[in-house]
Amino acid sequence: MKIERIEAIPLRMPLARPLKAATALVTQRCTVLTRVYTSDGIVGECFSNNEDQGQAEIVRLIHEELVPLLVGREAFHVEACWQAMQPITRSIVRDRRLAVRAIACVDAAIWDAVGKALNAPLHRLWGGQGDDVAAIAMGGYYWPEDDLIKVAKEMESLREQGLAGCKLKVGALTPEQDAERVRAARDGAGPGFWLMADPNQGWSFDEALRFARLVRPYDIRWLEEPCHWQNDRLDLARLRRTVDIPLCAGQSEIAKAGCRDLMAAGAIDICNFDPSWGGGPTEWRKVAALAESYGIGVMSHLEPQVGAALAAGVPNGVCVELMQPDRDPLYHTLLENRPPIRDGRMQLSELPGWGLSLDEKLVEQLRSA
């Protein structure tokens, strides 16, 4: 099954209302729909990569630099294809993160072609743990009229939707103010609902420590990337030795080596690596194997259309995370067969590959210039 050509389609959808996290303001949802056409007539496809400013460069890299490296190669040799793409990451005069993300787009589409050729869902092809996985929401964004009642009602709504939990945005306020938001979230969600706090690297070590101590009564399942990026590995390790709340990080890494260093430093209990930012499913699965050797859980940051199969395809998969329609309208409109969520768990597709059924009319409407 030879690779004959590759198509990358940039898609954008503005949010109805901007959403604020501690260190980001999100105004639109972007993705790249990548299709790998093979000699057997099988088309592998996937959409991923929440990229804004670099979207055009990712598409250019795929068409102009990755296509010549892959056309004529055997699609079943996924690792060989992945290795063949690595030279585009080695330039020291451009942002290698965009090169890594271009590779991720193509890698995900190649895996879909393999799954379709073997008529197997990818999580089963990988010898997975089961056909479902715990599902959590990304929520608790800051609104101009932000208040504690609103936070509580949002958590109550997420629980009613059948989700297992929510990763709550914190870090834009003082630790004391954000601890009150967590208290309100717990009041709204009730017991047993997973609550995670995500400051998006918004605090110093001392601020993160204050927050962790303040939220101890609220049964926080983990605290994610609490410390500023400049010294996060050492700060996380020190924080992990100091508090009894599990720590999560890894979404800011772009390769398995960075995740390895977090693990070796004793900095994390859960690795939340993003396959669309870090080289694709091939690299993510290597991170998962590393994490298992350290006794660490692993999950895929965002992108539930790939994250569910990845988490269900390894023994240490923790959950899949997804966003509400106001944060990720593409997932909720582009994907026609979104997997159902029951009793806190996403039920994975029986279809081969990623099992995606896309709204082709919407693809044409949203296709970026």
Side-chain angles (χ1 to χ4, degrees):
M1 185 171 67
K2 304 292 186 181
I3 296 173
E4 292 190 332
R5 65 186 181 93
I6 301 171
E7 179 185 25
I9 304 170
L11 305 175
R12 292 172 179 261
M13 182 176 281
L15 303 188
R17 188 174 189 180
L19 292 176
K20 186 181 187 308
T23 55
L25 180 66
V26 184
T27 61
Q28 61 184 339
R29 180 66 169 160
C30 304
T31 198
V32 176
L33 172 59
T34 306
R35 289 174 169 151
V36 170
Y37 296 81
T38 70
S39 57
D40 287 22
I42 290 171
V43 180
E45 66 178 1
C46 192
F47 66 95
S48 63
N49 228 301
N50 180 25
E51 186 61 43
D52 185 359
Q53 299 300 323
Q55 188 185 53
E57 175 63 4
I58 289 170
V59 171
R60 187 199 69 78
L61 285 165
I62 292 171
H63 287 155
E64 296 182 13
E65 300 192 31
L66 291 183
V67 167
L69 298 174
L70 294 178
V71 167
R73 286 187 173 269
E74 172 59 64
F76 277 111
H77 296 166
V78 183
E79 179 65 33
C81 290
W82 191 86
Q83 295 292 344
M85 292 188 281
Q86 294 309 300
I88 77 164
T89 70
R90 293 173 188 149
S91 171
I92 63 172
V93 294
R94 68 183 182 195
D95 187 349
R96 62 171 47 91
R97 292 175 301 174
L98 299 182
V100 170
R101 294 174 187 186
I103 290 171
C105 292
V106 177
D107 185 60
I110 293 174
W111 271 114
D112 188 56
V114 170
K116 288 175 176 174
L118 298 176
N119 196 32
L122 286 173
H123 69 284
R124 292 185 186 172
L125 185 64
W126 292 324
Q129 289 287 93
D131 293 325
D132 62 7
V133 63
I136 65 169
M138 178 90 75
Y141 284 87
Y142 296 94
W143 298 91
E145 66 277 17
D146 196 36
D147 60 58
L148 300 184
I149 294 175
K150 184 178 180 69
V151 172
K153 287 184 176 179
E154 181 181 352
M155 297 306 111
E156 182 181 8
S157 172
L158 293 172
R159 184 163 196 160
E160 289 173 351
Q161 292 175 39
L163 290 155
C166 178
K167 193 160 73 175
L168 182 74
K169 291 299 180 183
V170 296
L173 306 176
T174 67
E176 290 75 18
Q177 291 171 311
D178 273 328
E180 283 298 296
R181 297 180 87 244
V182 174
R183 179 192 60 76
R186 175 54 70 200
D187 287 346
F193 188 78
W194 298 10
L195 274 184
M196 292 69 67
D198 184 6
N200 289 117
Q201 300 182 325
W203 285 325
S204 67
F205 169 82
D206 289 336
E207 289 170 326
L209 179 59
R210 276 166 41 208
F211 176 83
R213 288 172 171 167
L214 287 165
V215 298
R216 284 190 65 188
Y218 308 132
D219 187 23
I220 301 303
R221 199 169 184 96
W222 71 73
L223 177 58
E224 184 165 329
E225 291 196 332
C227 300
H228 296 316
W229 68 269
Q230 291 93 334
N231 197 41
D232 62 337
R233 190 175 303 144
L234 295 182
D235 282 344
L236 287 170
R238 184 160 57 127
L239 187 64
R240 189 166 177 254
R241 293 192 298 267
T242 308
V243 301
D244 58 2
I245 298 175
L247 297 187
C248 175
Q251 77 176 62
S252 297
E253 304 299 332
I254 65 169
K256 60 183 175 293
C259 294
R260 174 206 61 203
D261 291 347
L262 284 169
M263 298 173 201
I268 56 173
D269 301 276
I270 299 166
C271 185
N272 186 18
F273 187 56
D274 189 324
S276 73
W277 290 355
T282 295
E283 185 81 335
W284 189 95
R285 286 178 48 77
K286 294 173 185 177
V287 170
L290 276 171
E292 186 187 6
S293 72
Y294 278 95
I296 289 172
V298 67
M299 54 187 290
S300 169
H301 174 244
L302 301 182
E303 309 291 9
Q305 68 276 7
V306 299
L310 288 170
V314 296
N316 53 332
V318 175
C319 62
V320 59
E321 61 182 30
L322 65 154
M323 296 181 290
Q324 295 292 286
D326 63 343
R327 174 62 177 88
D328 188 2
L330 277 172
Y331 174 75
H332 290 275
T333 57
L334 185 61
L335 187 58
E336 294 182 322
N337 61 336
R338 293 185 304 283
I341 297 172
R342 292 192 291 269
D343 299 323
R345 302 188 70 82
M346 180 179 286
Q347 314 300 308
L348 271 69
S349 174
E350 298 281 330
L351 297 174
W354 298 115
L356 308 180
S357 177
L358 304 182
D359 183 337
E360 295 298 337
K361 290 183 179 179
L362 186 60
V363 170
E364 292 306 312
Q365 290 173 11
L366 297 178
R367 184 189 289 256
S368 303

